[in-house]
Amino acid sequence: HAPVAVTALRAADLEEFVKGTSFDLSDKELFCIEEQDVFNSIYSLVRDFTCLPPGLKFNLVEALRSNLSVLLPNIDSLSRASMSSPSDGIPITDRIASHRNALKIYSFFLLSIVLAQESSADSGTGAKVTAHGRKKNPVYAWNWEAQRGRIMNLVANSLEVDLTLLFGPGGADERYLSFASKCTYVLFENQNVLKDEETRNGLCRIIGAIATRHQKISQTSASVLHLIHKYDFTVAHLAEAVAAAEKKFGDGSLAISLIREIGRTDPKDYVRDGAGADNVGRFLVELADRLPKLMSTNLGVLIPHFGGESYKIRNSLVGVLGKLAAKAFKDVDGNNSAHSIRLRSKQAMLEILIERCRDVSAYTRSRVLQVWAELCEENAISIGLWNEVASVASGRLEDKSAIVRKSALQLLITMLQHNPFGPQLRATTFEATLEKYKEKLEEKESQSPAEGELVNDHPLGEVTVGQDESVSDSCLPSSQDQTDEDHMFVDITNLEQIRALVASLEAGLRFTTCITSLMPILIQLLASSSATDVENTILLLMRCRQFQVEGSEAALRKMLPLVFSQDKSIYEAVESAFIAIYTKRIPTETAKSLINLNIDCSIGDLAALESLVSSLVLKGEISSNTMSALWDYFCFNINGVRPVQCRGALSILCMAAKSSPSILGTHLQDIVDIGFGRLAKEEPLLARTACLALQRLSEEDKIKLLSTSTRVFAALQSLVTSFSLPEKIWYGATDKAISAIYTLHPAPEIFAAEIAKKSLSSVFSALGMDGVSNGVELETQNSSTITELSAMKLGRFLFVISHIALNHLVYIETSVKKIHKQKQKNEKSQSTNEDSQVDGSKNSE
C-alpha cells in the first residue's frame, strides 16, 4: 500500500488516523510494526510529523517510545531463551529476525522524528503547551525537550545492550549505526539542544556506545574531531562523552585514538586554523582533567607540538601537564617501583613547565605561570621545587609583556596564600629558629647514630623534603612575635626529623628572602602605566603584609598617591586596599591604625591620605564611632596616648572635616586648649594642625566662634609674636595661624596690623628701643648684638610681614569679588523691579 497523504487529511480524519495507528501499536504485539499497513501508517505520520498538532505528536511518540522500551528487555530474554528449546514452537532464528527488524524500525522512526522536529522552523516554539503557551486549555502536555531527552536515552540504551545475538559477531548493522551516528552529530551541532542535560547525556552515551561497544573507533574519532574543530561549545561535552565511555565500558580506545590523531596532525595546520587549535587545546585539557592516567601514558605523542608554531596548542599542552601533575599521580597504591616511576614522570613534567616559563610566546609564558598557581592550590608542588618556582615567578615580574607580569603577580599571591612554611614570613625569625636547630643537629651528629635514633619518635619524622607533602605549620615559625622564639622551638631529638626540619627551615628562609627582595620591584610596578600591574601589585603587597613580610608595610604606603589616578580601576583598587588594611571592626583600632599611618606619612602622602579619608567618611566607610575614638585620642581619654598620637588624631579629624565640617565643631574648646597649650611645645606639628582645624570649621561653627573669639585670637596672636615655640616648630605654625586669622576674623586687616606692630616691637625690645625711629642710636649698638637679632628675630619678623602681605592680597581679591558679585545681584534685582513696574503701569492703562 502507498503511504497516506497526511497533509491532505481533514483535522477530524487526521485525529482518527493517528489514534488508530497508536491503538494498533499499543494493542497488537511489538512486532506489528513489521506489518505493511502499520508500517506505512507510521511512515506517513513520521514523514509529515511537523504538520501534526501537538496532541497527536504526543500520542505517536509515546506509542513508539513505549514499544521500544518493552522491546529492549525482550532482547535480553531472547538471549537466554536461545540456549534452550523454544516453548511456543517459533524457530529461534525467526524470533531473532523479528527482534532485529523491530529494533531497527522503532529506532529509525524515533530518530527521524527528532531530526524532523529539530529541523523544523518551530522546533523552539512547539515545545511546551501549558496554561501560558499558545493554547489556554490544552488537552495534551507536549513538552518536546522532555520527549527528546527520553528518546535519545532510549536509543542509547538500545546501543548499550548486547546485540550480538541479533546482528551476529560482526556487530550491529552498518546502516543502522551510521544513521544513529548522523542523528547524534547533527544534534550536537545545535547549542540549544546541548543545554538540555537529559538530551546531552543521551547523545554522549550514543557516541560512547557506537565507538566502544560497536568498535567504530576510527569513524567516531573523525566525527568527534570535526565537531571539536568547528563548534567550540561542544568541547567540554565531547570530553565528557569520551571519559564516560572509558568509565562505562572499561575501554579507553576512543580517547587514545583521539589523542594520537591530534598528535599526528601537522603543527602548521593549527597555525592556519586558530579557532580549531584553541578548541583542540581545550579538549585536551578537559580530557586530562577527566582521564589523567590515560592521558599521562599517551602524552608522548603530543610533546612534539611544544616545538610547533601555534602558541594555542602549546598553551593547551601546558594546561594538560598541570592537570596531570595535580591528578595523575595522587594514587600511591602499588609497589615502591611503580611509585618511583610515577614520581620521576611527574618530575619530568614539572621540569617541562619550568622550561616553558621562558617560552618565546608571551601567551605561553603567562599560561605556564597560571598553571603553577593552579598546582599551588592543589598542593602539588614539593618543598624542594617551591623556591625554584618562586624564583621564576620573581623574574617574570620584569617581563616585557603585561599579561605575563599579571600572571607572575597572581602566582606569587597564590604561593603566599598556600605556602607550607607557616603564617609568618619574617626572615629574622626563620634565621633565629634555624640557628637553634642547626646547633641541635650538630650536637646530634656528633653522637653515635644508634643513640640519636632511639631517643624520640616524634611524628615530625614524616616530614621529608622533595616530596609532595608540605611541612607542617607546627614545626615552623608561627604567628608569634620574635620575642617568642623559645616558645616556638619544638624539642625534637630524632636525627632524621631534625635534618628534615632544618632543610624545611632553610627552604622557608630562602622563600622569605626571595619575597622580601621583591619590594623595590613592586614599588616600581606601582608606578606602571598598566592598570593590571598596579591592581595585582597592591593585592600582592596586601598578602605580604598579612604574612608580615619585611618592607611590605612601607611599600604599601607608596600606593597612596595612586588615589589621584585618572584610571577608575586603580582608584578603586587603592580604596579597597585602604579599607581592608586600615579599617577594623573595633573603632578604637581603626582610629589607632589611621593615626599611626598619618604619623609615618611623608608630606606628599598626606595629601593622598586626606583625599581617601574625606572620601571614605562621605561614603560611611569610616564610621562616627571611629570619629569618637579619634577625639578620645586627641583629648587623652585613652591611657598611654603620646603627644604625637594626639596630633595625628587631630590631623585625621581635619581630613574628615573636608567632607563633613561639622565634625570639628563639637570639640572647639579642646582644639584651642590642647592645640595651643603646653603640648604644642613638645609636639612640633600640634599647633599647626590646630590652626588648620580652625580653618576647616563649618560656617555655623565659625559664627559661633566669633561670640567667644577673644581667647582663640589671643592664642593665635601669642603663637605668632612670642618666642615660646622652637624655631623648627614656629615657622610652620605661624604660616597656618596667619591663614586662620584671615579665615576667621571679622576684620583681619586690623588684627593683622596689630600682630605686625607687636612682632616688630618684639624684635627690637631687646635693645630697649621703641620701634625703628631711633635709627642713629641703633647704629651705635654693639655689632654682635645686631648680628644676633638678625639671625633669630629679624627673620621671624620678615616671615610674619611677608605672610600677612600674601594673605592680605588674597583677602583683598576675595573681597573685591564678593563686592562685584553683590553689585551684579543688586543691579539684576533693580532691573527686575523696574520691569515689573512698567508692566503694572501698562496694565492699568
Side-chain angles (χ1 to χ4, degrees):
H1 301 285
V4 177
V6 173
T7 55
L9 296 176
R10 294 181 303 168
D13 295 338
L14 177 60
E15 183 175 354
E16 183 179 353
F17 179 63
V18 173
K19 287 183 177 180
T21 304
S22 300
F23 179 78
D24 289 340
L25 288 173
S26 60
D27 188 57
K28 296 182 178 181
E29 64 178 8
L30 294 173
F31 310 110
C32 69
I33 200 168
E34 297 181 64
E35 299 175 8
Q36 192 64 49
D37 290 342
V38 176
F39 181 88
N40 285 346
S41 298
I42 298 173
Y43 175 81
S44 301
L45 292 172
V46 171
R47 181 188 60 187
D48 297 320
F49 182 79
T50 56
C51 300
L52 300 180
L56 300 183
K57 288 180 178 180
F58 178 82
N59 286 344
L60 180 63
V61 170
E62 279 295 299
L64 291 170
R65 191 176 62 82
S66 177
N67 280 14
L68 181 57
S69 300
V70 176
L71 178 65
L72 293 181
N74 285 355
I75 294 174
D76 185 58
S77 301
L78 182 64
S79 299
R80 291 194 300 270
S82 64
M83 301 182 184
S84 59
S85 300
S87 58
D88 53 5
I90 301 176
I92 190 68
T93 54
D94 292 346
R95 296 177 66 186
I96 290 173
S98 296
H99 280 77
R100 179 175 60 245
N101 292 335
L103 174 66
K104 291 165 61 178
I105 294 171
Y106 278 120
S107 298
F108 169 78
F109 280 143
L110 286 171
L111 288 173
S112 297
I113 287 173
V114 173
L115 286 179
Q117 183 70 14
E118 290 301 325
S119 61
S120 65
D122 64 340
S123 61
T125 59
K128 182 182 291 186
V129 179
T130 59
H132 52 274
R134 289 185 176 179
K135 295 183 180 181
K136 295 183 179 180
N137 297 304
V139 179
Y140 300 97
W142 171 245
N143 186 340
W144 168 240
E145 285 190 359
Q147 293 289 346
R148 182 184 60 202
R150 295 190 191 104
I151 292 171
M152 300 316 299
N153 278 283
L154 187 59
V155 173
N157 291 340
S158 71
L159 291 170
E160 289 176 351
V161 299
D162 188 1
L163 300 178
T164 305
L165 181 64
L166 299 186
F167 294 97
D173 183 83
E174 192 75 33
R175 289 175 298 175
Y176 169 60
L177 294 178
S178 177
F179 183 68
S181 298
K182 175 187 174 183
C183 294
T184 301
Y185 298 131
V186 168
L187 292 176
F188 239 99
E189 294 174 1
N190 190 330
Q191 188 172 6
N192 291 325
V193 170
L194 295 180
K195 291 178 181 178
D196 178 50
E197 184 178 4
E198 190 174 4
T199 304
R200 185 175 67 245
N201 290 341
L203 294 173
C204 291
R205 289 174 58 201
I206 292 173
I207 290 175
I210 291 176
T212 309
R213 169 71 82 177
H214 301 281
Q215 297 299 308
K216 303 299 178 183
I217 300 294
S218 59
Q219 299 95 316
T220 305
S221 296
S223 299
V224 168
L225 283 175
H226 170 76
L227 288 174
I228 291 173
H229 275 273
K230 196 169 182 181
Y231 304 101
D232 61 340
F233 56 84
T234 65
V235 170
H237 306 313
L238 289 171
E240 183 60 36
V242 174
E246 193 273 344
K247 183 178 181 181
K248 187 173 185 66
F249 302 106
D251 186 352
S253 301
L254 178 58
I256 294 171
S257 175
L258 288 167
I259 294 171
R260 291 179 177 174
E261 193 63 35
I262 293 171
R264 283 194 292 265
T265 304
D266 190 342
K268 294 181 180 179
D269 292 343
Y270 291 124
V271 177
R272 289 189 289 267
D273 181 14
D278 195 24
N279 293 346
V280 169
R282 287 173 48 224
F283 175 77
L284 290 174
V285 175
E286 294 282 353
L287 201 61
D289 190 33
R290 292 169 172 80
L291 299 173
K293 291 184 179 180
L294 185 146
M295 179 64 82
S296 64
T297 56
N298 293 274
L299 187 61
V301 299
L302 300 173
I303 295 298
H305 284 280
F306 267 125
E309 298 178 14
S310 173
Y311 74 85
K312 292 184 177 180
I313 292 296
R314 287 204 300 275
N315 286 4
S316 66
L317 292 179
V318 165
V320 168
L321 291 177
K323 294 291 184 183
L324 297 183
K327 292 190 173 185
F329 306 100
K330 285 186 175 180
D331 184 9
V332 295
D333 296 337
N335 54 37
N336 291 335
S337 175
H339 183 61
S340 177
I341 292 173
R342 284 197 295 269
L343 285 178
R344 284 199 296 272
S345 299
K346 177 179 179 180
Q347 188 63 29
M349 292 180 186
L350 295 178
E351 288 175 358
I352 292 175
L353 288 177
I354 289 288
E355 178 187 350
R356 288 295 113 190
C357 288
R358 302 173 180 86
D359 194 278
V360 294
S361 169
Y363 295 103
T364 302
R365 295 197 300 274
S366 174
R367 180 64 185 131
V368 174
L369 295 172
Q370 293 170 10
V371 168
W372 279 117
E374 294 168 4
L375 291 174
C376 283
E377 293 174 348
E378 294 282 342
N379 296 319
I381 302 178
S382 65
I383 294 179
L385 193 62
W386 192 270
N387 282 296
E388 186 173 358
V389 176
S391 177
V392 169
S394 301
R396 291 298 99 193
L397 291 181
E398 298 181 277
D399 197 284
K400 61 182 180 180
S401 171
I403 60 172
V404 179
R405 296 195 300 271
K406 175 184 177 180
S407 297
L409 288 165
Q410 292 175 343
L411 171 56
L412 289 169
I413 292 170
T414 307
M415 293 189 76
L416 279 170
Q417 185 175 356
H418 296 275
N419 87 85
F421 308 113
Q424 181 190 31
L425 296 177
R426 289 184 185 176
T428 52
T429 306
F430 270 96
E431 290 169 353
T433 309
L434 178 61
E435 187 62 30
K436 290 184 179 181
Y437 279 109
K438 278 187 174 180
E439 292 175 0
K440 195 171 186 65
L441 178 61
E442 292 174 0
E443 177 186 344
K444 215 62 183 162
E445 287 177 338
S446 63
Q447 301 174 3
S448 62
E451 180 184 355
E453 291 294 325
L454 296 175
V455 176
N456 190 14
D457 186 20
H458 197 278
L460 285 175
E462 299 175 1
V463 178
T464 56
V465 177
Q467 299 199 10
D468 291 341
E469 296 85 355
S470 295
V471 67
S472 171
D473 288 346
S474 61
C475 59
L476 288 170
S478 67
S479 58
Q480 303 281 346
D481 291 335
Q482 189 173 351
T483 55
D484 294 330
E485 289 168 8
D486 292 337
H487 176 70
M488 290 186 292
F489 185 77
V490 182
D491 189 17
I492 302 174
T493 54
N494 183 283
L495 183 59
E496 290 303 317
Q497 294 169 359
I498 298 174
R499 284 174 178 166
L501 187 53
V502 167
S504 300
L505 287 168
E506 287 176 341
L509 179 59
R510 287 198 299 274
F511 180 65
T512 302
T513 304
C514 174
I515 299 297
T516 304
S517 66
L518 294 178
M519 294 304 137
I521 298 175
L522 296 180
I523 292 173
Q524 291 179 7
L525 286 175
L526 285 175
S528 171
S529 58
S530 170
T532 56
D533 281 351
V534 177
E535 294 170 31
N536 287 283
T537 300
I538 291 173
L539 293 176
L540 177 55
L541 286 172
M542 289 177 65
R543 189 68 68 181
C544 289
R545 181 181 180 273
Q546 176 187 341
F547 285 89
Q548 303 179 31
V549 175
E550 295 166 358
S552 58
E553 188 79 38
L556 266 174
R557 285 200 293 272
K558 301 293 183 181
M559 77 173 180
L560 292 179
L562 296 174
V563 76
F564 299 117
S565 172
Q566 298 300 312
D567 192 313
K568 185 180 178 181
S569 62
I570 293 178
Y571 171 81
E572 290 176 348
V574 174
E575 187 177 70
S576 298
F578 186 88
I579 293 171
I581 295 170
Y582 298 110
T583 60
K584 316 292 182 182
R585 291 184 179 179
I586 302 175
T588 306
E589 293 182 358
T590 302
K592 185 177 180 180
S593 66
L594 292 174
I595 290 169
N596 291 337
L597 177 62
N598 178 273
I599 293 171
D600 295 336
C601 273
S602 64
I603 294 177
D605 292 341
L606 284 175
L609 179 60
E610 180 175 271
S611 176
L612 278 167
V613 169
S614 62
S615 174
L616 295 178
V617 168
L618 195 61
K619 295 177 181 179
E621 295 290 346
I622 298 179
S623 65
S624 58
N625 291 333
T626 301
M627 295 295 105
S628 299
L630 287 167
W631 282 121
D632 288 339
Y633 270 99
F634 176 69
C635 298
F636 293 89
N637 294 335
I638 296 176
N639 292 332
V641 176
R642 294 175 287 117
V644 67
Q645 291 177 308
C646 168
R647 185 266 302 170
L650 184 58
S651 179
I652 296 294
L653 289 165
C654 289
M655 296 174 182
K658 192 171 184 181
S659 59
S660 180
S662 60
I663 289 174
L664 297 172
T666 57
H667 290 72
L668 180 57
Q669 195 59 49
D670 293 323
I671 294 174
V672 176
D673 292 342
I674 299 174
F676 302 115
R678 58 179 180 81
L679 290 177
K681 299 178 182 179
E682 301 178 25
E683 170 52 38
L685 299 175
L686 181 56
R688 183 180 187 276
T689 307
C691 293
L692 180 61
L694 293 176
Q695 294 181 65
R696 294 272 171 94
L697 290 173
S698 66
E699 293 301 323
E700 293 180 0
D701 292 327
K702 288 178 181 177
I703 295 172
K704 293 179 182 179
L705 178 66
L706 295 179
S707 61
T708 58
S709 60
T710 306
R711 187 174 180 184
V712 175
F713 292 120
L716 292 173
Q717 186 182 63
S718 175
L719 188 151
V720 174
T721 58
S722 69
F723 297 95
S724 58
L725 293 180
E727 190 170 6
K728 63 179 181 179
I729 302 174
W730 181 87
Y731 283 99
T734 299
D735 177 17
K736 292 298 179 184
I738 294 173
S739 298
I741 290 169
Y742 271 88
T743 301
L744 301 172
H745 203 283
E749 66 281 5
I750 298 174
F751 192 67
E754 293 179 4
I755 291 176
K757 291 177 181 178
K758 193 168 183 179
S759 178
L760 176 62
S761 176
S762 63
V763 170
F764 298 100
S765 60
L767 299 177
M769 302 169 60
D770 297 327
V772 294
S773 58
N774 300 327
V776 177
E777 192 174 335
L778 177 62
E779 295 177 2
T780 63
Q781 300 297 321
N782 190 289
S783 59
S784 62
T785 305
I786 300 295
T787 305
E788 183 180 355
L789 284 176
S790 300
M792 293 177 57
K793 297 183 179 181
L794 190 57
R796 291 196 182 188
F797 168 68
L798 294 175
F799 183 85
V800 170
I801 292 298
S802 62
H803 275 68
I804 287 176
L806 181 61
N807 279 273
H808 201 71
L809 178 62
V810 174
Y811 172 70
I812 291 172
E813 291 180 349
T814 305
S815 299
V816 169
K817 287 181 180 178
K818 287 182 180 179
I819 294 171
H820 184 65
K821 187 176 182 181
Q822 185 63 41
K823 185 177 179 181
Q824 287 181 331
K825 185 177 180 180
N826 293 339
E827 289 176 352
K828 185 176 181 180
S829 177
Q830 184 178 358
S831 175
T832 303
N833 293 335
E834 290 177 354
D835 291 341
S836 61
Q837 290 175 1
V838 170
D839 292 339
S841 62
K842 288 182 178 179
N843 291 334
S844 63
E845 292 177 0

